[in-house]
Amino acid sequence: MKKRVVLKEVIKGGKKALPFYLFTLLLLCGCQQANDGKFHVEGVVKGEQYEGKRIFIVPLYGKKTAEYVDSMEIKDGKFHFTKDSMQMYQILLDYHFRMGIQPLIVVGEPGTIQVSIDSVSHAVGTPQNDSLEQWKVRTEMHNRELGKMRKYIADLTKQGDTVQAKYIAQRADSFHLVYKTYTRRLAKNLEGQTLGDFLKNLYPLTYKRKYPDGRTVTINADTNEEVPE
């Protein structure tokens, strides 16, 4: 009986009371979803041509069988996924329709991320995915500039200007080292987290080299010189 009275009072409250009631209800639902310990993806896809097409969320590492891969049809330009497993994922359109669309890597962690799939895709909304988005923007800028430098080096080499080509190559190496240092620092700040492990594996400080005589030595990944034991 009390529930009916409350509902009746809300309706009688007119246009002002109903929106506030709905807003409170939506807020409560949002909090429950964000705190349920699961990973939620709320996504949009730009382009009417993708309506009704399938989109997939695929583990970045490990098995990619039907048991581990989820998919759904894009409806009204939107899609959503919920996952229990906290790991790295890729969000991909059906391979028939991926031309011109950027695949997106996301971090599975409790909470909700907002995803936009387009020629340049984005994901924000949880701490690790916000950090991943910042790293992604920096990486894209780095790759563009490094690509320009390498093309310039190739052009200089064709022209026979080896001195200038060597100078630009040294600048390119320094530029790339700054980026690797940035990535390693971010990995260190996120140590023990899913994104930290992903970034750490991209640019290890050292690697192992095995010689024909059977010796295995440690090599500095930046200088390619042997590290004294």
Side-chain angles (χ1 to χ4, degrees):
M1 179 63 69
K2 289 184 178 179
K3 290 183 179 179
R4 291 181 181 176
V5 172
V6 171
L7 181 58
K8 188 175 182 180
E9 289 177 352
V10 169
I11 294 174
K12 288 173 68 177
K15 294 181 179 179
K16 291 184 179 180
L18 187 57
F20 178 77
Y21 173 77
L22 290 175
F23 171 77
T24 304
L25 181 62
L26 290 171
L27 184 62
L28 289 172
C29 290
C31 290
Q32 289 175 355
Q33 184 188 67
N35 295 325
D36 65 1
K38 296 182 180 180
F39 171 52
H40 302 274
V41 175
E42 297 293 339
V44 296
V45 181
K46 303 294 179 66
E48 294 181 359
Q49 66 270 33
Y50 302 113
E51 189 70 12
K53 305 301 186 292
R54 297 203 72 82
I55 191 162
F56 300 79
I57 185 166
V58 184
L60 188 61
Y61 305 113
K63 296 180 180 179
K64 295 173 175 57
T65 58
E67 182 181 356
Y68 300 94
V69 175
D70 286 345
S71 71
M72 70 171 299
E73 285 188 3
I74 298 166
K75 186 175 182 180
D76 297 326
K78 299 177 181 179
F79 64 92
H80 59 86
F81 294 107
T82 297
K83 305 292 290 183
D84 293 314
S85 179
M86 303 307 157
Q87 58 179 298
M88 301 292 292
Y89 293 96
Q90 272 191 306
I91 297 178
L92 305 164
L93 276 172
D94 184 314
Y95 74 92
H96 293 100
F97 307 101
R98 289 179 196 168
M99 185 67 68
I101 294 295
Q102 184 182 55
L104 184 65
I105 296 175
V106 296
V107 185
E109 65 176 330
T112 301
I113 65 167
Q114 305 299 325
V115 166
S116 174
I117 301 298
D118 204 342
S119 56
V120 179
S121 299
H122 303 282
V124 295
T126 64
Q128 290 187 75
N129 281 291
D130 289 348
S131 295
L132 178 58
E133 177 68 15
Q134 294 174 5
W135 175 81
K136 176 177 176 289
V137 171
R138 173 70 179 268
T139 298
E140 289 169 348
M141 180 277 292
H142 168 267
N143 290 344
R144 284 194 302 270
E145 296 304 315
L146 189 62
K148 292 177 184 177
M149 297 172 81
R150 286 175 173 168
K151 184 178 184 305
Y152 188 32
I153 293 167
D155 292 341
L156 289 170
T157 302
K158 287 181 180 179
Q159 297 167 12
D161 192 347
T162 56
V163 174
Q164 183 70 356
K166 183 177 180 180
Y167 170 70
I168 299 300
Q170 291 172 341
R171 288 186 56 189
D173 288 344
S174 297
F175 179 72
H176 187 51
L177 181 57
V178 169
Y179 167 74
K180 288 198 294 184
T181 301
Y182 158 76
T183 300
R184 289 166 177 164
R185 186 180 299 118
L186 182 58
K188 182 67 175 178
N189 292 339
L190 296 168
E191 190 172 8
Q193 300 182 55
T194 302
L195 180 56
D197 293 340
F198 168 75
L199 295 174
K200 182 179 179 180
N201 291 331
L202 293 179
Y203 297 109
L205 292 170
T206 61
Y207 64 92
K208 297 293 184 180
R209 176 182 292 169
K210 188 172 183 179
Y211 288 103
D213 62 4
R215 290 184 304 120
T216 299
V217 299
T218 302
I219 302 296
N220 184 304
D222 297 327
T223 64
N224 289 317
E225 297 178 353
E226 185 175 333
V227 178
E229 296 294 341

